[in-house]
Every structure is written in structure tokens, then in C-alpha cells.
Amino acid sequence: MNEVNKNALTKPLPTPDGDSQALWDGLKQGKLLLQHCDDCGHVQYYQQGMCRLCQSTKLRHQAASGNGTIYSYSVVYRAPGPAFKDDVPYAVLLVQLEEGPRMISSLVGKNFDALDFDVAVKLTTGAISDEICLPYFELVD
Amino acid sequence: MRDSLRGKVAIVGVGQSPTGRVPGRSPLDLTAEATLNALADANMQKAEIDGVLTGNAFASSFHRFSVALSEYLNIQPSYSNTLQVSGATAGAAVNTAAAAIHAGLAETVLVACGDSLLTGMTPDMAIRAMTESRDQQYEMPFGIPVANTFAMTAHRHMKQYGTTSEQMAQVAVTFREHASRTPGAQKTELITVDDVMNSKMVTSPYHKLDCSLISDGAAALILTSAERALDYTDTPIYILGGGEYYSHEHIFLMPELTQTGAVQSAQKAYDMAGISANDIDVAGIYDCFTGTVLMMLEDLGFCKKGESGGFVEDGQITYGGKIPTNTHGGMLSYAHPGIPAAWFHFIEVVRQLRGSCGERQVSNAELGIVHTLGAGFSTQATTILGAGSTR
Ligand SMILES: [Zn+2]
């Protein structure tokens, strides 16, 4: 098997960049760092060098509470490539964080019957490599 | 509107390669064949092409597909670009070609695209197609293919408006019926709503038959100035309006999941053409998934927000309905070779407006719309087309 074919069996591993390094460092400590704009108050999850609304660079990282609700979801039955074959079925979530931003994540576990719009979920993290922890969500009882 | 391109440019030739399963043919070869067929359709020599716009092909290693295609055909255009706005590339390329002709950058532009997603993909290429579809840091690690982004919008639409899976399935049933009348369609066997509902779940709420096909194929359009159009054909089809909108990149930054930038792109195109949705006789709507079509029927103005499910169930997107849509069968049943897929929507609407669709003909079709989109509704491009009577 050549190198590229081997990669097909490996899940995409995020490569932190100048914009996102702090986010990935935070996740390693179990924190989801959101950027708060000191000039306009906007809160953003997607990490940028400037506020997406007012372009201010006065951004402050603050850990999210981890509380959110399910804005939408889709349970994946056909894997997008061999790397995810052992995981199906799994639920991809569009989570509405209580601080305002939305984010893509996936559900811990396979309790799909309990999945619904607007139900509460709570942040958790899980390591996928020595360097990278992903933010996941679990249903709140 | 300031000296717009309305009526200044026309499509004078359309052509395609064989579609469906076409093994052993490179994307360049397929696209060159489609080009020669479009040239023949326009009674035109290849040397008259001075502009080339294409999309890129996954099953081809060329970064500058438009330049590689020109070399393949041995033409030397003075205007060329390879566009990339995912599924909206077709509409964006036609709009851009029309603008270039109107502005004098080119006289006659070939707008072509071809790919072999079904038989031409090596594992390396398949990986590239997969990994390039979503953000490496924020989306792809969670196993979210582009299909999943469309699924989440449809799912929210069901929650918000009570749209049902059966109503989405009706889109696939209708387009299959259309494809059954189209020579060369990849899928022609009639299906029922139950067939769609009973097909395997891919990513909820989408079943296999809610999803577009995977195909090989290429298509080409030739555009020239209105002054020259009648030299090539008795039935030039004019570009009456164009509009585009790019609202976000990441699905989690889409402003609203159930209303898309098609509202803005269509409004811009309607305004340029001086018409409204009510005036349109026939539509080509990008149908990567069934629910995508429902949302576009609303956002393009053919029915009210939230009412597309009943609209489709009432037969409004087929013959005799308010807006016959994808009369060739669309990506759900005719062909879906990737980026080239929406070129076939253009070809079908052109043929409808020429009145040359035979048993598929929509009676008295004079005004048409083609709406293409991509990347989880990130990219939107609308084009209004009209027969000579509408210019
Ligand atoms: Zn700000």
C-alpha cells in the first residue's frame, strides 16, 4: 500500500495554524476557548486574528461554559471514506453554544433515539493524537 | 441598472459527451468531445473561440483545466480561467463569460466542464475529493462530508416547517419520471415514494435515492455577442440576467439554515432581467439532494417559505405545474459527474427555450432560470435565459 492509500485509512488530523493554535492548546486542557471582542462584544468560535464583525484585534480568549443545544443534526450511516467505516452510525451535531456561536461536533455514544432539536448537550473532549483533542458533546439527562 | 449585460450575449451552441458510466476516457477527452459537439451545434470553427472558462476536474491532475483544455484542442484564447465555487461554478462561469463578452474581453467564450467521478478516480484522487470538501480543523475531523451539511439544513427545515421525508422523496420520483423521457439518462426506471423511503439511509434524513448519482461526463456551452449570435443559429438563447451570492464558508457560520443566499442571487438576476419568478416557464435547479430542491423553490420565489413540500406534492414542478423543473432528470437521475453536473441543467433549459425537446417539451417555454449552488449552500449563482421573443 502506498503512502496516500494509508492516509485514506487515517482520520483527518487538524493542523493548528497561527489563527487556531490557542483553541487546540485549550482543548488539550479540556477548555473550549471562544474569542470575545473587547470592542463590540461579539463572541466567535472560528478563530481569527480579528473580530469578524468589527475587525478589532482586541480579542480575548475565554473558556465556554460547555452548555449548548442541538440546532440540527444528521446521523451518518455511510462513512465518508474508509477512515470512518468503523464509526458508523454516528451523529454529527450542529451545536448552538449558550454564548452565541454555533459549531460542528459529534455526539458521544449512539443514543440516537434521544436526539432531538433544541435538546441540551454538554461539552466533553477526547484525544485523537498526542497533540489534538477534539470537542465532543453528550446529551444532558 | 447601469448598462447591464441583459440581452447582450447569447448561448449559440450546446454539446455534451456520453454520460453515465464512460470508462477509459480522461476528463480532458470528454470535455473536448463535448466542445466539438457544441461547435457543430453552433456551426462554428474552433478558431473562433477566443475565451475559455471551465471548472476543475477531480479525476484530472491539471490545476489550470481551462488552459490544458485549450492546448488539447489546439486553440490559443486571449481570455481563460478555471473557476472554483463548487456546485455554483456552472452558473458563475456562464455569468462571467457573459460579462467578459459584454465588456469586450472576449468575443466568443467556450464554457465547458468534464469529469469522470464514476470510473476515473484513483484512490489518491478520491481522497483529495473527500478531504477538500470541508474544513480540516473545524469540520472534517468529525466525519462530516458535504452531504452531511445539506442533510442538516433539510433536517432543520423539517423541524421548522413540518416538511416530511415523503415530500422530499417526491422530488426524486418526479425527476426520475422526467429522466425516463430523456435519451442518455443514467437512471430511467420509474420509482415511487416508498422506493425512496425504503432505500438505505445515507445521512439522515437522506436515503440513497434522495442523493444525486455519481457519473462520468462533460458538457459545453458556446456564448457570443448578440450582434453575432444570428450568424450561428436561428435560435440564440439570450442571457437576460445573472446574480450570485456567497454568504459563508463554514456550515456553522451559515446565517440561517433554512434560508439561503439564493434569495439574494435570484433577486439580483430577476432585477437585471426585469422579471419575477412568476414570469418563468421552465427551471433547472441544482439537485444534489431532494431537500435542496425544496429549499430552492422557496428561495427562488416559486412558492412561499415553508410551503415547498406541498408544492411538490401538488405536481407543481412537473408538466402542467407552476414551474416544470429539471425536465432532463437532473443530478438525481440524468447524470452527476461532479462540477460539470449543472452544465446539463443549462443545456436542458436552452433546449426547452429553443423548443427542441420533443416529448419533453414544456409548451410555450420562453423564459428560463438556471440556479446552481454548492458547498452546503455557501455558493449561489442564478442565470436567467430567454428565447428571442424575450430580449
Ligand atoms: Zn468586534
Side-chain angles (χ1 to χ4, degrees):
Chain A
M1 188 178 290
N2 68 36
E3 201 53 40
V4 176
N5 282 346
K6 254 187 280 174
N7 290 344
L9 303 172
T10 316
K11 288 182 186 172
L13 198 59
T15 306
D17 58 25
D19 282 350
S20 65
Q21 188 65 53
L23 174 76
W24 296 110
D25 289 347
L27 284 165
K28 273 199 327 200
Q29 300 162 24
K31 291 180 199 160
L32 178 68
L33 295 181
L34 303 178
Q35 292 181 313
H36 291 245
C37 176
D38 277 341
D39 277 334
C40 78
H42 177 60
V43 183
Q44 58 194 27
Y45 162 61
Y46 183 79
Q47 310 276 305
Q48 305 188 166
M50 57 184 73
C51 171
R52 199 163 78 89
L53 290 197
C54 77
Q55 285 71 56
S56 165
T57 53
K58 289 184 199 151
L59 295 173
R60 193 168 28 84
H61 276 112
Q62 197 171 309
S65 68
N67 298 323
T69 53
I70 295 179
Y71 190 72
S72 195
Y73 63 97
S74 175
V75 180
V76 178
Y77 292 86
R78 194 174 69 195
F84 291 94
K85 269 208 172 113
D86 292 339
D87 295 350
V88 289
Y90 57 89
V92 175
L93 308 178
L94 182 57
V95 175
Q96 174 74 61
L97 297 173
E98 70 176 358
E99 288 86 355
R102 289 183 195 144
M103 64 183 286
I104 285 293
S105 182
S106 54
L107 180 75
V108 177
K110 295 184 189 287
N111 188 9
F112 305 137
D113 289 342
L115 271 184
D116 202 355
F117 294 93
D118 306 327
V119 302
V121 286
K122 182 80 184 166
L123 174 75
T124 180
T125 57
I128 59 166
S129 77
D130 289 346
E131 287 305 309
I132 297 292
C133 284
L134 289 182
Y136 298 111
F137 283 83
E138 48 196 14
L139 291 162
V140 177
D141 304 320
Chain B
M1 190 166 297
R2 181 188 58 84
D3 188 29
S4 85
L5 53 77
R6 186 193 190 285
K8 302 285 175 56
V9 176
I11 298 176
V12 296
V14 300
Q16 59 188 79
S17 73
T19 57
R21 179 177 289 278
V22 193
R25 305 278 306 271
S26 74
L28 279 176
D29 185 31
L30 292 169
T31 313
E33 178 178 344
T35 301
L36 296 182
N37 288 332
L39 283 166
D41 185 49
N43 303 301
M44 186 185 285
Q45 302 300 311
K46 68 176 185 178
E48 294 177 71
I49 295 170
D50 64 350
V52 177
L53 292 179
T54 71
N56 242 330
F58 283 115
S60 169
S61 58
F62 293 101
H63 287 251
R64 298 165 296 275
F65 195 83
S66 63
V67 177
L69 177 67
S70 302
E71 181 188 80
Y72 202 94
L73 289 162
N74 192 22
I75 56 176
Q76 289 77 32
S78 54
Y79 175 78
S80 180
N81 222 322
T82 304
L83 307 182
Q84 170 54 294
V85 284
S86 292
T89 303
V94 169
N95 291 346
T96 303
I101 292 166
H102 179 48
L105 288 174
E107 186 69 43
T108 299
V109 180
L110 166 68
V111 179
C113 199
D115 210 341
S116 40
L117 282 195
L118 183 57
T119 65
M121 300 285 278
T122 66
D124 306 21
M125 290 164 173
I127 293 157
R128 182 178 143 203
M130 181 191 84
T131 54
E132 281 185 354
S133 61
R134 304 308 308 174
D135 188 300
Q136 279 291 100
Q137 296 191 71
Y138 292 83
E139 295 176 330
M140 203 56 213
F142 302 100
I144 172 172
V146 67
N148 196 279
T149 63
F150 282 107
M152 282 196 286
T153 59
H155 213 177
R156 185 74 201 180
H157 197 275
M158 294 171 78
K159 153 77 179 167
Q160 216 157 316
Y161 298 110
T163 308
T164 65
S165 288
E166 287 82 357
Q167 289 172 332
M168 290 195 274
Q170 184 60 47
V171 173
V173 170
T174 302
F175 291 173
R176 182 61 59 85
E177 201 277 323
H178 292 172
S180 74
R181 312 179 192 200
T182 311
Q186 194 168 339
K187 295 282 185 187
T188 54
E189 190 180 318
L190 296 179
I191 53 173
T192 65
V193 166
D194 278 348
D195 290 336
V196 181
M197 301 291 291
N198 294 330
S199 63
K200 262 193 196 164
M201 193 63 92
V202 171
T203 180
S204 64
Y206 285 145
H207 309 81
K208 184 167 190 280
L209 293 178
D210 285 300
C211 304
S212 48
L213 307 168
I214 297 176
S215 325
D216 306 322
L221 312 166
I222 295 174
L223 281 68
T224 195
S225 61
E227 292 80 41
R228 294 180 55 170
L230 286 166
D231 295 345
Y232 300 107
T233 175
D234 295 334
T235 54
I237 301 303
Y238 296 92
I239 314 292
L240 301 180
E244 294 167 38
Y245 204 72
Y246 303 92
S247 53
H248 60 283
E249 165 68 21
H250 298 87
I251 187 70
F252 56 86
L253 286 171
M254 184 173 180
E256 273 188 70
L257 280 199
T258 55
Q259 178 166 308
T260 76
V263 172
Q264 289 89 344
S265 73
Q267 193 57 55
K268 190 166 183 185
Y270 292 148
D271 287 348
M272 190 183 293
I275 63 160
S276 74
N278 284 326
D279 300 319
I280 294 175
D281 303 309
V282 61
I285 298 179
Y286 196 84
D287 54 328
C288 48
F289 301 97
T290 52
T292 306
V293 176
L294 293 186
M295 284 169 60
M296 290 305 94
L297 289 166
E298 297 170 2
D299 290 356
L300 299 175
F302 294 114
C303 64
K304 288 196 185 123
K305 195 77 223 160
E307 295 182 359
S308 56
F311 186 79
V312 168
E313 276 183 331
D314 289 346
Q316 302 292 357
I317 63 168
T318 190
Y319 298 88
K322 189 172 175 194
I323 182 72
T325 301
N326 295 0
T327 50
H328 63 312
M331 298 150 69
L332 287 162
S333 285
Y334 180 76
H336 176 220
I339 301 300
W343 261 257
F344 298 109
H345 296 71
F346 271 98
I347 290 180
E348 179 71 1
V349 171
V350 165
R351 288 178 175 152
Q352 287 286 356
L353 298 177
R354 286 174 174 178
S356 66
C357 275
E359 63 166 335
R360 299 197 314 286
Q361 185 62 44
V362 172
S363 50
N364 303 319
E366 292 183 310
L367 268 178
I369 186 172
V370 178
H371 183 77
T372 65
L373 62 97
F377 292 120
S378 296
T379 63
Q380 307 276 353
T382 313
T383 308
I384 309 293
L385 300 172
S389 56
T390 63
R391 192 178 161 219

